[in-house]
Amino acid sequence: LSSGLSRVKMKFETILEEINGFGPFQITILVLLSTSRMVLPCHFLLNNFIAAVPPHRCDISMLDDGELFRNLTQEQKLTVSIPVGEDGALKSCEMFAEPQFQLLTNNSSSTELPTVWCQRGWVYDNSTFTSTLATEHHRCTSCAVSRYGRKNLLLVSYISSTVLGFSSAFVNSYTLFAVLRFFTGLGLTGISIISIVLSVEWVDVSHRSAIGVIGSLAWSAGYMLLAGVAFLINDWRTLTMVVTAPLGFAVLTWWWVPESARWLLANGKVERAQFYLDKCAKFNKKEKLSKEKLVVKVQENQAKNYTYFHLIKTQRMRCLTLLLGIVWYGVATTYYGISLNITGFGLNMYLTHFIYGAIEVPAKLTIYCFLNIFGRRKCQAATLLLTGLCIGINIFISKDLWHVRVVVAALGKGLSEASFTTVFLYTTELYPTVIRQNGLGYTSFISRLGVSVAPLILLLEDVWTLLPQIILCSVAIISGLVALMLPETLNVRLPETIDDIEKPRLVNLHIKYIKLINV
């Protein structure tokens, strides 16, 4: 009986206990992956700067043909050529059908005069940006892993992100640029998924939250760094290349990144698993494991190929997959809905972006304490609900009180980041090892849908000023309530097979037997 139970359900954490589940080896993994994780926010939020639309007006140079027009000053030319908006500024995308010289001699309103769309492009204010996608391509927005292992796919993600990221900086076609950025995003998403999975799968139960939070601090560092780099480099091509360059260094560090021994053992690759476990033991100054212990760890279903279909094949997995999809969509939509809105509070866009990044650090340190006190489920639900509350409060605060709105928005931003930090850790703990990377791939896809929808939601401000905030608030609250339906994973060993999800009571019984036998 003891042999059979050990062979089927001996946990990987038992192995980690013997070679130290949180030592120099695990810290080294975090350091090796930190460079690539710092690059992620620089690319995911790059459009805040490279696609920014500076103040602009219609190009009126074509009107210089008339003698009377040529004798006017530049200010007078603008007065007779471009209507003024309600805020007193020149309209961005309209011009008079014909010069209205009477406006120079009286104070008559220009609102009733016939206008047309800009006939010869726009003239941009280059005091902030020398070049963006909008200025170069004349787009006026206001007018219109699993079976191949973790390590190998990480290299593919590194190389593809590097090549495609640099390529996108050199193209002259906006369509080609959009295609290249799309595939760059795929590579970067691979880095995001694999790095968190690798980090968590190498640590023991008691340090998973620490690894998840510490590793995510690299994101916050990159977030803040982007504000400074974008401030210094106001040409979009150069900025794109600069934020992509660190991935070249990440490719070099890849050679020292270990494969997940947990994944290797789950797939019957004992020799390779022992190689990395021996390295871990050496780094952590522990004795090497015997091969017999690793053979015992190998599961009966080790050779089985798992696909995305296994995420919905069984009852509990279907429920888990559905709930996590809703939560991830809510987390991503609210996070990026706040992150992409850096010009709506009256502050300098670089300062707002930096504040949004800086607030994440105390938010992550706070959520680290709460994760180990209240558990994952309550923290996940609370951060989402409070994010929705902050968004809702800002709906009722007057825009004249911009300083209060910024404080509330920054608090909401911190809470949304705490929610993102939690959901990454929570998801890796909920999915079993054999399909963990598939599960993260699925949830990442759902989150990217949320990211894609977020800027479209913000555009609904043209329909009704409060509509984007109402939608984001509702999404955050609904996903927070859904999070309460997920199981708790605090101090629970990582599931390794689908049976660990479908038959949790039987698994816990087996673990108790193993502990008794070992004693």
Side-chain angles (χ1 to χ4, degrees), residues 157-179:
S157 298
Y158 279 170
I159 294 176
S160 62
S161 299
T162 303
V163 174
L164 293 168
F166 274 111
S167 298
S168 64
F170 292 97
V171 297
N172 294 317
S173 166
Y174 181 79
T175 302
L176 182 56
F177 171 83
V179 171

Side-chain angles (χ1 to χ4, degrees), residues 316 498-511:
R316 287 180 178 269
I498 293 178
D499 281 344
D500 291 353
I501 302 295
E502 297 298 323
K503 304 174 183 178
R505 294 182 179 178
L506 179 59
V507 172
N508 291 334
L509 178 61
H510 286 172
I511 293 173

